[in-house]
Amino acid sequence: LPTMVETDRMSPSPSLLTAVLVLSVTAPCSAFIPTSTAPLLRPLLASAVSLRHARPAAPSRTAALSLSMSGGSQLAQLASMTVLAVDTGDLSVIEELSKTGHITDATTNPLFVSQAGLSGDPRYVAFVDEAVKYAKGKTKDVDEGVALAIDRLAVNLGKEILQFVKGYVSTEVDPRLSFDREESVARAKRIIKMYEEEGIDRSRILIKLAATWEGITAAEELEKEGITCNLTLVFGMTQAVACAQRGVRLISPFTGRIHDWHKADQGKEVWEPSEDMGVVECTRMFQYFKKHGHSTICMPASWRPSRGPGFELDEIRALAGSDRMTIPPNLLSMLDESSEPLERMLEPIEGAKQCEEEEWGGGRMGEKEFRFRLNQDGCTTEKMSQGIRAFVSDTEKLEEAIRSKF
């Protein structure tokens, strides 16, 4: 089944323009049985390096790494059990990596997309110009026009990516609507309408919403109308269970950010991968979904070295077998360079057996229980709030840039 995932863009420290949308692309799970080894030239972008390690730069096509098509690497082994996405905002990287057979999905974050749109690259500038022209032709009100142009930019980028992949594109609703269910639904429907006007069926689009109570209930309504959703900024079981019980297509738990919170909370620098709280929470979600028959896909994103520098692949290896993952190019390259056997850590049938939890809320958690559980979970409360603030800041910067064109 196709899906998409969230990337790790929550730190407010980089004072760079960012977009309101996070585009993520996925393709249906397929057999990964490459029979030959061939070098693949692909750009190594500073903008594609995770914000965990470096401040990303504007897209570039000059540098390159080789990503093999060998079936013996840990990358190939992981791809045989988990559908993989590359975390980058560069269309050339998405196009090239979609050809490897190991990487069938792609994700990008607001920072990457905004930099692309404002970098001066003619291809990306054309997306912005068309979005502004489209909005001006629909309304004379500047505020309405700016909001429409931002949504249209998401659609333009989504259309382009769909040329390279067979699966989904994910487009994010304005994060300032994270606590407004009705307006989130309206904006999601507007985005879908624009895609359909371009001849793109809604079955290929995932609407991305923050996993607040309002975002989750908005997703429930949209799913009933055939509009599939991805709930992002997931940091704990309360969000995961509420999403699953309401039929959300996919959730994006931020493994590394969960680890960050517990690392600071406990003052503990080094963790065994199996005890890393990001790994523990994602494993718990996976097992719960399998035991209780929830079809919601768990797609971990955001990675940290459990044991510290030099162990950058710890969390990825500890979650091998998860439904989906999104991984930045530098970590994909590290996986590709290793040929050691990779043990499958998560498996649906065994996962269901290992889960000892009964269904929360009798199978349908209500708002009061959701809010109380969320309040009791310091990691989720603090990290979700931090994430929304960062995404809102990014959106307002992009909005300012778009407004200057009206």
Side-chain angles (χ1 to χ4, degrees), residues 7 40 52 55 87 94 125 132 190 202 291 304 381:
T7 57
L40 175 66
R52 298 179 294 278
R55 180 191 301 259
D87 181 6
I94 295 171
V125 169
V132 171
R190 183 169 77 177
R202 66 177 58 189
K291 176 178 179 178
R304 300 290 187 272
T381 298

Side-chain angles (χ1 to χ4, degrees), residues 280-281 330 366 373:
V280 170
E281 282 295 285
N330 61 318
R373 286 181 177 270

Side-chain angles (χ1 to χ4, degrees), residues 97-167:
L97 293 185
S98 67
K99 302 173 185 177
T100 65
H102 302 321
I103 312 299
T104 59
D105 305 344
T107 66
T108 183
N109 66 38
L111 182 58
F112 298 155
V113 174
S114 177
Q115 286 187 315
L118 301 173
S119 68
D121 184 308
R123 176 164 55 167
Y124 297 101
V125 169
F127 296 157
V128 176
D129 290 344
E130 194 282 335
V132 171
K133 180 179 179 180
Y134 175 89
K136 287 181 175 180
K138 294 292 184 180
T139 180
K140 300 299 182 183
D141 184 275
V142 173
D143 290 339
E144 291 180 4
V146 171
L148 180 57
I150 291 173
D151 286 348
R152 182 66 178 186
L153 175 59
V155 173
N156 288 343
L157 290 167
K159 274 180 54 183
E160 186 74 9
I161 294 174
L162 282 171
Q163 297 182 43
F164 311 132
V165 300
K166 299 178 181 179

Side-chain angles (χ1 to χ4, degrees), residues 8-279:
D8 183 20
R9 167 63 179 102
M10 292 178 53
S11 172
S13 58
S15 57
L16 299 171
L17 287 173
T18 52
V20 68
L21 59 132
V22 178
L23 288 177
S24 303
V25 188
T26 64
C29 183
S30 57
F32 301 93
I33 314 175
T35 57
S36 62
T37 302
L40 175 66
L41 185 67
R42 69 175 176 88
L44 175 62
L45 305 173
S47 65
V49 177
S50 169
L51 288 172
R52 298 179 294 278
H53 305 293
R55 180 191 301 259
S60 168
R61 299 185 181 87
T62 57
L65 277 180
S66 63
L67 190 64
S68 77
M69 298 179 72
S70 169
S73 69
Q74 284 201 340
L75 177 62
Q77 294 176 64
L78 184 60
S80 71
M81 62 185 83
T82 295
V83 175
L84 302 179
V86 59
D87 181 6
T88 179
D90 186 271
L91 292 170
S92 296
V93 171
I94 295 171
E95 180 179 9
E96 292 304 312
L97 293 185
S98 67
K99 302 173 185 177
T100 65
H102 302 321
I103 312 299
T104 59
D105 305 344
T107 66
T108 183
N109 66 38
L111 182 58
F112 298 155
V113 174
S114 177
Q115 286 187 315
L118 301 173
S119 68
D121 184 308
R123 176 164 55 167
Y124 297 101
V125 169
F127 296 157
V128 176
D129 290 344
E130 194 282 335
V132 171
K133 180 179 179 180
Y134 175 89
K136 287 181 175 180
K138 294 292 184 180
T139 180
K140 300 299 182 183
D141 184 275
V142 173
D143 290 339
E144 291 180 4
V146 171
L148 180 57
I150 291 173
D151 286 348
R152 182 66 178 186
L153 175 59
V155 173
N156 288 343
L157 290 167
K159 274 180 54 183
E160 186 74 9
I161 294 174
L162 282 171
Q163 297 182 43
F164 311 132
V165 300
K166 299 178 181 179
Y168 291 138
V169 166
S170 181
T171 302
E172 186 173 356
V173 169
D174 189 327
R176 292 172 292 188
L177 302 176
S178 295
F179 300 97
D180 188 334
R181 184 185 67 81
E182 291 76 14
E183 189 59 28
S184 291
V185 169
R187 289 288 286 272
K189 290 181 177 179
R190 183 169 77 177
I191 290 169
I192 291 296
K193 182 179 179 181
M194 283 192 283
Y195 272 116
E196 291 181 334
E197 289 173 347
E198 296 298 317
I200 299 169
D201 192 88
R202 66 177 58 189
S203 64
R204 299 203 64 192
I205 310 302
L206 286 172
I207 293 296
K208 181 174 284 188
L209 300 157
T212 59
W213 176 257
E214 293 78 8
I216 294 168
T217 54
E220 180 181 26
E221 180 177 341
L222 292 167
E223 293 278 357
K224 291 176 180 178
E225 298 186 30
I227 299 174
T228 50
C229 300
N230 164 33
L231 273 290
T232 188
L233 298 176
V234 173
F235 300 97
M237 282 292 289
T238 299
Q239 295 167 296
V241 171
C243 287
Q245 290 179 344
R246 282 164 175 75
V248 171
R249 179 72 178 87
L250 179 144
I251 64 167
S252 300
F254 280 23
T255 315
R257 291 289 174 176
I258 297 171
H259 172 78
D260 288 345
W261 190 91
H262 287 279
K263 178 179 175 180
D265 183 62
Q266 298 187 32
K268 181 178 178 180
E269 292 294 321
V270 177
W271 301 67
E272 286 301 312
S274 62
E275 298 174 353
D276 180 317
M277 288 306 298
V279 172

